Amino acid sequence: MISLLIQAPGKASRRVKVTSNLYRIGGGSGNHIKLDGLESYGCIVELHIADGDQAKLRRRQDALNVTVNGKSLEQEHQLRSGDRTVIDQYTIVFQQKNASVSVAAEPQTVVPKAVRPATTARKAPRPQAPQSQSAKPKNTRYFTLQKLLHEELLENLDLKHLDVSRFSEKEMKDKSRKTLEGIMAELDKSQFRGININELVTDVIDQALGLGPLEELLKQEDITEIMVNNFDQIYVERKGKLTLSGTQFVDNAAVIEVIRRIIAPIGRRIDETNPMVDARLQDGSRVNAIIPPLAISGPSITIRKFATDPFQIEDLIQFGSLTAQMAEFLSVCVEQRKNICISGGTGSGKTTLLGVIAAYIPNDDRIVTIEDAAELKLPQEHKVSLESKPPNLEGKGAIPIRKLVINSLRMRPDRIIVGECRGAEALDMLQAMNTGHDGSLTTLHANTCRDAIARLETMVMMAGMNLPSKAITEQISSAVDVIVQTNRYPDGTRKISSISVLVGMEGDKITLQEIFAYKMNGYDEDGKVLGEYTAEGGIPAFYRELQERGIDVDISIFR
């Protein structure tokens, strides 16, 4: 049996069984196989079948670039099973099922971007585990074979009509593995030469039932971020450094399918009318996905991973993100119900620090957390987690952060934690801090402590209340007690670069007193940042007040 597997980004794959000796492929109604969007080109190629199993692909016009296995199709090409023909955005895989099915050998001149020898060509092993038996980079032949096995597995299992709820995850994987073994037993064994069979089977099952190549990356604890730029280019962050992962999806359709699996459990959707989505994985890791037409090069996924065991303050001290004296000061601020804003750039560690210092909140305080995608993992039992809601299919029903902040005031909270202030909710957060909800915490984007104040002023103006600038500044001065600035440095390390206390107003300007700072001195021979933490000598006024009330606090940390 001869068939053609037709795939295109954002479109469902379709299989066409070849039952005649001539098939015209192109745009327009005059073709046996119509490619949407290419109507102006007419017939682009012809598939000729001779003697029942001999197939040739002939080119009919030169307006479009047509390639077979990465090489330009000049006039005609003798097809073998697994050959990949690319016409514009369409990929057409020629498949032939006889006594054996073969996959085309990889052209020597074509190497996928994700596995070029000049970059990270090997798939990264798991931490403290032996390297995979397959030390060679995955090539075009590997991914062609993976796609073929995936299509055959779906066809044999008929997952669309199978009631998977009757099976556990392990049972489904065992069922898929046995099915794959049967499929592979019918194939020509020579095409598996040089390929790690266990790795191939695992990749096919992950693609059919899980998150594809992301499954392996999510298991590696030293990876903190995963960035899918397009199906054949996946970057990861290790110790603050970005590297090419050496693995990839089989095509863009597989990426979109994984996105839908991620967002399905939390009731969100992604399609052409709603091509962006924020979500989370079961472990709380933050996910952002965007697809065409907004993502021009193909669907993109960004995953901010979180450690299985949340970081403690001792971990951050060990990492060099702050000193024991700074940790002592922050613990006193939280315990004494000081309102804290953590500011910093993207990826500077704001959310991680927020979760760490929030652990200082006493267990008998009622905590309400408010986030776009719930990711904070707090050790306290008395807490309520709220999550914003995107609009429905009709564009209605959205519940933004601001509404949740307002609603939280009716929930009798002792502490309100807003994962990130990025808009009008800043006004309601400041009002909560000023009306009996001391000890609240939030994060925001800013480059310095002074910039954080300006950013807060801008976000309050977004509420549309037409408040005078001075009134906004005075509200910030009375609401916020401490600003903690985080930075990500060129070597990938994340550090608290400054801790400042808001002293009061001088005219129309808020006065800041810097308590601790990180002074960068340069780099060592390995490119690591050199510097030191310093106490600036100032003692916060509330520390003096604590001493007068008989509370034991260590003043020596400021010297």
Side-chain angles (χ1 to χ4, degrees), residues 278-493:
D278 287 313
R280 66 180 184 277
L281 300 179
Q282 291 182 349
D283 63 358
S285 296
R286 183 196 310 166
V287 181
N288 175 269
I290 183 167
I291 64 173
L294 299 186
I296 299 174
S297 60
S300 174
I301 307 174
T302 306
I303 300 176
R304 176 76 56 83
K305 280 183 59 185
F306 292 96
T308 306
D309 298 320
F311 287 129
Q312 308 296 321
I313 195 68
E314 294 79 9
D315 297 318
L316 300 191
I317 294 173
Q318 183 180 356
F319 297 156
S321 298
L322 76 168
T323 64
Q325 291 77 13
M326 297 163 71
E328 168 70 15
F329 174 72
L330 291 175
S331 69
V332 171
C333 289
V334 174
E335 291 165 1
Q336 297 302 318
R337 306 183 67 86
K338 299 302 176 183
N339 295 322
I340 301 174
C341 288
I342 301 172
S343 71
T346 301
S348 61
K350 300 186 301 297
T351 305
T352 298
L353 181 62
L354 177 65
V356 169
I357 67 174
Y360 286 126
I361 297 175
N363 288 323
D364 55 354
D365 279 3
R366 176 173 171 82
I367 305 169
V368 177
T369 66
I370 303 169
E371 303 171 86
D372 269 328
E375 57 190 79
L376 286 174
K377 295 181 180 179
L378 303 183
Q380 295 88 346
E381 294 182 2
H382 197 179
K383 61 180 182 288
V384 178
S385 297
L386 306 181
E387 185 178 67
S388 64
K389 178 180 176 294
N392 58 21
L393 289 172
E394 290 77 31
K396 300 178 181 179
I399 308 293
I401 290 286
R402 187 178 187 188
K403 285 189 177 181
L404 295 180
V405 173
I406 295 172
N407 184 79
S408 70
L409 301 178
R410 307 185 185 102
M411 299 174 66
R412 201 271 179 207
D414 292 307
R415 314 270 189 143
I416 299 174
I417 300 177
V418 178
E420 182 179 340
C421 277
R422 55 167 69 97
E425 65 271 7
L427 173 61
D428 304 287
M429 185 69 187
L430 292 176
Q431 289 179 330
M433 291 176 172
N434 272 325
T435 55
H437 299 91
D438 296 332
S440 296
L441 308 168
T442 189
T443 73
L444 55 90
H445 279 80
N447 294 323
T448 65
C449 294
R450 177 63 64 184
D451 287 347
I453 295 174
R455 172 86 169 137
L456 276 172
E457 292 175 349
T458 301
M459 289 190 292
V460 170
M461 292 178 184
M462 294 169 66
M465 302 298 291
N466 295 320
L467 295 174
S469 178
K470 185 175 181 180
I472 295 174
T473 305
E474 288 176 346
Q475 190 167 35
I476 294 172
S477 177
S478 61
V480 180
D481 297 303
V482 179
I483 298 178
V484 181
Q485 180 67 37
T486 61
N487 275 358
R488 178 180 174 184
Y489 290 86
D491 63 349
T493 57

Side-chain angles (χ1 to χ4, degrees), residues 122-367:
R122 298 173 184 265
K123 187 175 181 179
R126 298 183 189 179
Q128 300 178 350
Q131 187 174 354
S132 169
Q133 296 178 6
S134 178
K136 296 181 180 180
K138 296 177 180 178
N139 51 33
T140 302
R141 184 167 62 91
Y142 182 97
F143 290 111
T144 301
L145 187 56
Q146 179 183 339
K147 179 178 284 191
L148 171 64
L149 292 176
H150 175 250
E151 293 293 334
E152 293 295 329
L153 177 63
L154 294 184
E155 185 175 323
N156 280 268
L157 285 181
D158 194 16
L159 288 177
K160 292 183 178 179
H161 301 94
L162 181 66
D163 184 8
V164 295
S165 62
R166 296 190 298 110
F167 302 94
S168 67
E169 181 180 354
K170 183 179 184 303
E171 289 173 335
M172 280 302 302
K173 287 188 175 182
D174 289 343
K175 183 179 181 67
S176 299
R177 189 174 293 274
K178 289 181 181 179
T179 304
L180 274 175
E181 289 173 354
I183 294 171
M184 295 168 68
E186 300 180 1
L187 304 183
D188 182 3
K189 301 299 184 292
S190 64
Q191 62 190 306
F192 296 103
R193 190 177 296 115
I195 290 178
N196 186 317
I197 301 300
N198 289 333
E199 187 176 18
L200 176 63
V201 170
T202 299
D203 285 347
V204 173
I205 293 175
D206 285 344
Q207 182 183 347
L209 305 177
L211 304 182
L214 301 185
E215 291 279 354
E216 177 67 21
L217 299 178
L218 288 167
K219 294 175 184 176
Q220 299 181 36
E221 295 183 1
D222 62 335
I223 293 178
T224 54
E225 199 149 5
I226 302 171
M227 290 146 281
V228 180
N229 292 347
N230 48 57
F231 80 92
D232 63 349
Q233 190 181 72
I234 304 176
Y235 278 85
V236 296
E237 181 188 69
R238 288 186 175 91
K239 297 180 179 179
K241 291 292 186 180
L242 299 180
T243 57
L244 202 59
S245 68
T247 188
Q248 66 179 69
F249 288 88
V250 294
D251 55 24
N252 285 324
V255 183
I256 294 177
E257 181 62 29
V258 163
I259 294 173
R260 288 177 175 151
R261 285 179 191 162
I262 290 173
I263 64 178
I266 60 174
R268 301 196 175 184
R269 64 185 179 87
I270 193 166
D271 50 42
E272 289 187 0
T273 60
N274 186 47
M276 298 183 295
V277 68
D278 287 313
R280 66 180 184 277
L281 300 179
Q282 291 182 349
D283 63 358
S285 296
R286 183 196 310 166
V287 181
N288 175 269
I290 183 167
I291 64 173
L294 299 186
I296 299 174
S297 60
S300 174
I301 307 174
T302 306
I303 300 176
R304 176 76 56 83
K305 280 183 59 185
F306 292 96
T308 306
D309 298 320
F311 287 129
Q312 308 296 321
I313 195 68
E314 294 79 9
D315 297 318
L316 300 191
I317 294 173
Q318 183 180 356
F319 297 156
S321 298
L322 76 168
T323 64
Q325 291 77 13
M326 297 163 71
E328 168 70 15
F329 174 72
L330 291 175
S331 69
V332 171
C333 289
V334 174
E335 291 165 1
Q336 297 302 318
R337 306 183 67 86
K338 299 302 176 183
N339 295 322
I340 301 174
C341 288
I342 301 172
S343 71
T346 301
S348 61
K350 300 186 301 297
T351 305
T352 298
L353 181 62
L354 177 65
V356 169
I357 67 174
Y360 286 126
I361 297 175
N363 288 323
D364 55 354
D365 279 3
R366 176 173 171 82
I367 305 169

